[in-house]
């Protein structure tokens, strides 16, 4: 006889086993995630700085080079090839001194043709003016003859009038005398009016001709002056720089040939990073060290044209009486951007490249823990600390390239 064996229920067993596994996995995940990522670091490999409460001054440092206060460019007015060189680069030149002579046969031939054409036009206008004068002389001669005929007719008229009144002169003769007198009078009046109008027209025409001749003479003067532009003269006295002509070398019209530095004062020229473009303005003051003294300088011009990530700044010396300055000298300029304020400051370091100032390792005994911070303004020496650090705390400011994924550092001697 078969015996019925009851079936065992393993459901509770499996549930208990699953609960144990889940608890173990949860504990393992907690211990793994909660464990800080640590790295042992030698103190000799890092740089440790102290956070301090100090005066923060927003300033900028950059290099500037001494240049003459004023310079004049020497440009080519008429292009041509170098024929003669009279001076050398670096020479002291005076205003009007010849520097170099250029030669351009095509331009010179063109000048000659233009000069000939202008002179021919002036001669033609002068001849036309002479013709008008001769015409007026001819009319004046004709008028004299007509006036003589009129006077003869008038005298005869007066005489025959008396004779006719005395009944000595015949009537037909008197009528001929009257007709002749009328004719001569009307003729002279018409000719006088014609000559007056002709003279008026001639005066207008001669005035226009004189004006045209004056313009042509000025054009001729300019043309002849331009012919002298092949001889390039110094526009101002000073020291000649950037002057490197070569015999036979061709220069185009408007091309710069040299620069003349007017040795009456100096200024500073600097190329500044574009990051500071909005912070720098005309009138700001700074200092340089020269001859063991701090000299005050002031920004006179900001050229807000960025080239290769930099823009140009010009500075003038506040003190005009300076001796010993030379072109080409270089100085470190400290430019004050704001007044001093009491702030929590952190010395600058390479850590900023990896953290962008968002976190830092704070030293506590033999450990250094990662901490979030917030930085504000900066100058070449310090960052302004807004939050996350306290005065007296020490931080690692060297590079974080090997620690960027670490939470804690163990410092070893």
């Amino acid at each position: 006889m078969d015996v019925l064996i009851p079936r065992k229920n393993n459901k509770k067993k499996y549930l208990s086993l699953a609960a144990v596994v889940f608890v173990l996995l949860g504990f393992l995940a907690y211990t793994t995630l909660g464990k800080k990522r640590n790295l042992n670091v030698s103190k000799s490999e890092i740089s440790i700085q102290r956070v301090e409460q100090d005066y923060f001054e927003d300033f900028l440092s950059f290099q500037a080079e001494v240049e003459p206060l004023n310079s004049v460019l020497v440009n080519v007015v008429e292009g041509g090839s170098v024929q003669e060189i009279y001076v050398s680069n670096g020479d002291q030149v005076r205003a009007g001194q010849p520097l170099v002579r250029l030669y351009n046969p095509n331009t010179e031939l063109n000048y000659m043709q233009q000069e000939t054409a202008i002179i021919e036009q002036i001669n033609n206008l002068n001849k036309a003016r002479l013709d008008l004068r001769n015409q007026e002389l001819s009319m004046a001669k004709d008028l004299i003859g007509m006036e003589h005929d009129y006077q003869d007719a008038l005298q005869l008229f007066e005489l025959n009038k008396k004779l006719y009144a005395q009944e000595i002169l015949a009537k037909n003769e008197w009528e001929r005398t009257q007709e002749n007198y009328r004719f001569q009078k009307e003729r002279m009046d018409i000719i006088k009016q014609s000559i007056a109008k002709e003279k008026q027209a001639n005066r207008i025409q001669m005035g226009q001709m004189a004006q045209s001749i004056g313009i042509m003479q000025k054009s001729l003067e300019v043309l002849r002056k331009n012919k002298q532009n092949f001889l390039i003269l110094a526009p101002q006295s000073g020291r000649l720089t950037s002057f490197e002509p070569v015999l036979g070398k061709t220069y185009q019209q408007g091309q710069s040939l040299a620069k003349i530095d007017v040795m009456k004062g100096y200024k500073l020229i600097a190329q500044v990073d574009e990051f500071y473009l909005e912070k720098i303005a005309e009138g700001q003051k700074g200092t340089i060290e020269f001859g063991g003294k701090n000299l005050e300088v002031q920004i006179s011009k900001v050229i807000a044209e960025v080239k290769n990530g930099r823009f140009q700044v010009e500075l003038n010396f506040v003190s005009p009486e300076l001796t010993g300055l030379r072109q080409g000298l270089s100085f470190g300029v400290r430019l004050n951007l704001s007044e001093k304020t009491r702030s929590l400051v952190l010395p600058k370091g390479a850590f900023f490249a990896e953290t962008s100032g968002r976190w830092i390792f704070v030293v506590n005994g033999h450990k250094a823990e990662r901490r979030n911070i917030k930085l504000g303004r900066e100058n070449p020496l310090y960052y302004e600390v807004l939050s996350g650090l306290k005065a007296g705390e020490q931080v690692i400011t060297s590079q974080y390239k090997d620690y960027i994924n670490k939470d804690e550092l163990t410092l070893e001697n």
Side-chain angles (χ1 to χ4, degrees), residues 60-228:
L60 168 64
S61 293
F62 53 83
Q63 289 295 117
E65 189 172 308
V66 176
E67 287 194 5
L69 189 60
N70 295 303
S71 297
V72 179
L73 286 176
V74 181
N75 295 327
V76 175
V77 180
E78 293 292 343
S81 58
V82 178
Q83 186 179 34
E84 294 180 86
I85 302 173
Y86 304 109
V87 293
S88 301
N89 191 40
D91 288 352
Q92 291 286 339
V93 297
R94 64 183 184 279
Q97 181 177 346
L99 305 179
V100 65
R101 179 183 291 278
L102 303 181
Y103 177 65
N104 189 329
N106 293 331
T107 304
E108 289 193 1
L109 178 61
N110 185 40
Y111 279 155
M112 293 176 62
Q113 292 174 344
Q114 291 182 44
E115 184 177 7
T116 302
I118 292 174
I119 292 174
E120 185 177 355
Q121 291 180 28
I122 291 175
N123 291 336
N124 290 336
L125 288 174
N126 284 327
K127 183 178 181 301
R129 292 172 66 184
L130 182 60
D131 291 340
L132 289 177
R133 291 194 186 98
N134 291 333
Q135 183 181 356
E136 289 184 358
L137 289 174
S138 178
M139 288 188 297
K141 291 179 181 179
D142 293 340
L143 183 59
I144 291 173
M146 293 175 191
E147 288 180 344
H148 182 269
D149 293 342
Y150 169 74
Q151 289 297 330
D152 288 344
L154 177 60
Q155 290 176 2
L156 184 60
F157 176 81
E158 295 292 340
L159 176 62
N160 288 346
K161 182 179 180 181
K162 293 177 182 179
L163 295 175
Y164 181 73
Q166 297 175 3
E167 297 181 354
I168 299 175
L169 185 67
K171 183 178 181 180
N172 59 348
E173 185 67 25
W174 168 241
E175 289 177 351
R176 284 198 299 270
T177 302
Q178 285 181 314
E179 179 63 21
N180 182 56
Y181 171 70
R182 182 195 62 78
F183 169 75
Q184 294 295 342
K185 187 176 184 301
E186 291 181 0
R187 178 189 177 200
M188 188 182 67
D189 291 340
I190 292 173
I191 294 300
K192 279 186 176 181
Q193 293 178 9
S194 177
I195 290 175
K197 291 181 180 180
E198 193 72 25
K199 284 185 176 182
Q200 184 178 4
N202 287 351
R203 280 195 296 269
I204 295 174
Q205 192 172 356
M206 291 180 71
Q208 293 174 344
M209 289 180 180
Q211 186 178 5
S212 297
I213 290 174
I215 294 173
M216 290 181 184
Q217 287 176 341
K218 289 182 179 179
S219 300
L220 192 60
E221 291 175 4
V222 172
L223 185 64
R224 288 170 176 171
K225 185 178 180 180
N226 288 342
K227 290 173 65 176
Q228 303 300 319

Side-chain angles (χ1 to χ4, degrees), residues 63-69 71 239 241 259 261 263 265-269 290 317 324-332:
Q63 289 295 117
E65 189 172 308
V66 176
E67 287 194 5
L69 189 60
S71 297
R239 183 169 60 193
T241 60
K259 185 173 70 170
D261 296 330
M263 312 307 290
Y266 294 92
K267 63 183 176 182
L268 293 173
I269 301 293
F290 177 66
F317 292 93
L325 284 177
R326 294 290 184 272
Q327 183 179 0
L329 289 178
S330 181
F331 294 98

